[in-house]
Amino acid sequence: MIIQYKKDYEKMAMGLLSYLPDFKNIENLKEEIGLNQEDNDFLLYLYRNKQNNIVGVLGTQVTDQFIVIRYLSLAPGFREISYEKEIVDELKNEYPDKRVTAVPEYTNLLKTVEEDNE
């Protein structure tokens, strides 16, 4: 299940983001968290597995027609296509009137998810 980021989850979100190379630097990490708190176009989601543990973070940007996946980070041990597929499917359900797309680094993920759905 994806849930929208709240300040209460800041440490959890920062920990999950730190797995991504762009956010190894604490300043970049803080800037990203701030961006998601200030700008309504950038939304951060947390992913809870079936045991209700937060094991992933998803960064998005919302436009008039699209929801763009900017990054996806899962905790070690949860980096499987089944979790990624569930996250993308839930995002599609959250925005039924928008097309889900991604930055170039994540287009293969969308392609794999779409192939699995066929």
Side-chain angles (χ1 to χ4, degrees), residues 4-109:
Q4 195 163 345
Y5 169 82
K6 295 178 191 164
K7 180 85 170 144
D8 296 349
Y9 300 121
E10 183 174 35
K11 286 185 180 180
M12 181 66 69
M14 288 177 76
L16 290 163
L17 281 172
S18 70
Y19 291 121
L20 298 172
D22 289 346
F23 302 118
K24 295 283 185 203
N25 177 315
I26 190 73
E27 291 306 315
N28 292 353
L29 196 53
K30 287 180 181 178
E31 186 177 318
E32 183 64 24
I33 293 290
L35 177 68
N36 286 284
Q37 292 174 345
E38 296 165 8
D39 192 329
N40 290 334
D41 291 346
F42 294 95
L43 296 175
L44 198 59
Y45 290 93
L46 299 170
Y47 170 71
R48 286 184 191 246
N49 65 3
K50 290 179 179 24
Q51 290 75 34
N52 215 26
N53 297 318
I54 296 174
V55 297
V57 64
L58 173 71
T60 64
Q61 181 175 6
V62 181
T63 68
D64 290 339
Q65 298 174 1
F66 299 97
I67 178 94
V68 181
I69 295 173
R70 297 176 52 234
Y71 50 80
L72 171 61
S73 178
L74 293 166
F78 296 92
R79 295 179 182 161
E80 299 172 14
I81 190 65
S82 61
Y83 293 108
E84 294 171 343
K85 180 183 180 308
E86 186 176 332
I87 291 168
V88 172
D89 287 344
E90 287 190 25
L91 189 63
K92 287 179 179 181
N93 290 336
E94 184 89 11
Y95 294 94
D97 59 331
K98 296 188 186 298
R99 181 156 187 251
V100 176
T101 187
V103 296
E105 294 89 346
Y106 293 95
T107 53
N108 283 338
L109 167 64

